[in-house]
């Protein structure tokens, strides 16, 4: 059983569409991080959210940390083929970090 | 920029062999980690190290050991490789402290025949 459940597991959309992926847990985290991993590479950090209810924007990407600090979402507006990749969330508590299984996003031109 | 370098991108070994995976980071980070990544299971923590000569078991340490003799280098050892250890192995490092990002290498795809 994963400590962090990510959904959907796979997502295939057309360029220009909007999408949201989710990261849920029954545990409370001190912070939550989102990473993107492209084929043949290691994950790269996109954002860290720390405060319950926090919203961070990174160009077309909007990240939200749940009020109770148990869940998070990533919304992409007007997806582009360059957004294709594996999106991983990672929750930290007590200096211990655990990753979800990821959402594999494909954006078709 | 932080650079985490894993010694091999691809590695093929035989069952029963002793396998060494090497990881070097150039930013003087205290913490280093070894994960394996399998489809549908995400990243699972094998071992981590808070500092030189320190090591802690992660979630799936069985069949693995680690060595951290120098701060910049963290080695993963498969004592007697088995086919169920075929996987992608990722090394990461980060500076000590809460909420710090992990910096990953590009991974080693290991096949055990």
């Amino acid at each position: 059983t994963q400590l962090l459940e990510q959904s959907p597991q796979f997502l295939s959309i057309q360029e220009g569409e909007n999408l949201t992926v989710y990261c849920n847990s029954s545990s409370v985290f001190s912070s939550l991080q989102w990473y993107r991993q492209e084929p043949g590479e290691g994950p790269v950090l996109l954002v860290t959210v720390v405060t319950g209810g926090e919203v961070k924007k990174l160009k077309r990407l909007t990240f939200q940390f749940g009020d109770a600090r148990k869940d998070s979402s990533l919304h992409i507006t007007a997806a582009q083929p360059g957004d294709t990749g594996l999106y991983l969330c990672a929750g930290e508590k007590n200096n211990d970090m655990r990753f979800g299984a990821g959402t594999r996003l494909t954006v078709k031109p | 920029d932080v650079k985490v370098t894993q010694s091999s991108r691809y590695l093929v070994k035989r069952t029963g062999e002793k396998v060494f995976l090497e990881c070097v980071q150039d930013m003087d980070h205290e913490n280093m980690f070894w994960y394996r990544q399998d489809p549908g299971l995400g990243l699972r923590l094998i071992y981590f190290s808070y500092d030189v000569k320190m090591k802690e078991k992660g979630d799936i340490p069985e069949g693995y050991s680690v060595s951290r003799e120098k701060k910049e280098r963290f080695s993963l050892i498969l004592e007697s490789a088995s086919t169920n250890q075929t996987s992608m192995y990722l090394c990461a490092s980060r500076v000590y402290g809460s909420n710090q990002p992990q910096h990953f290498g590009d991974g080693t795809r290991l096949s055990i025949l």
Side-chain angles (χ1 to χ4, degrees), chain A residues 31 33 35 48 92 97, chain B residues 94-102:
Chain A
S31 69
Q33 298 179 349
Y35 292 77
T48 301
E92 178 169 355
M97 181 176 286
Chain B
R94 73 171 187 178
V95 67
Y96 176 78
S98 298
N99 309 328
Q100 298 297 322
Q102 294 196 15

Side-chain angles (χ1 to χ4, degrees), chain B residues 26-40:
Chain B
D26 65 358
M27 282 302 291
D28 204 37
H29 285 171
E30 291 85 3
N31 300 165
M32 295 189 75
F33 307 83
W34 274 107
Y35 296 89
R36 63 178 284 177
Q37 185 175 28
D38 301 288

Side-chain angles (χ1 to χ4, degrees), chain A residues 27-104:
Chain A
S27 295
V28 176
F29 297 106
S30 59
S31 69
L32 198 135
Q33 298 179 349
W34 284 92
Y35 292 77
R36 186 171 80 197
Q37 184 179 18
E38 299 188 29
E41 298 181 8
V44 175
L45 181 73
L46 295 173
V47 78
T48 301
V49 286
V50 178
T51 306
E54 183 177 1
V55 177
K56 278 193 173 178
K57 293 195 174 186
L58 189 67
K59 297 183 181 178
R60 293 176 294 101
L61 278 61
T62 302
F63 304 85
Q64 184 160 9
F65 202 11
D67 291 341
R69 306 206 316 276
K70 292 182 179 181
D71 51 73
S72 181
S73 63
L74 159 59
H75 182 80
I76 301 178
T77 303
Q80 298 177 1
D83 296 326
T84 292
L86 179 67
Y87 289 81
L88 294 159
C89 68
E92 178 169 355
K93 61 176 179 178
N94 302 324
N95 282 324
D96 200 15
M97 181 176 286
R98 291 295 184 268
F99 284 80
T103 292
R104 189 166 295 282

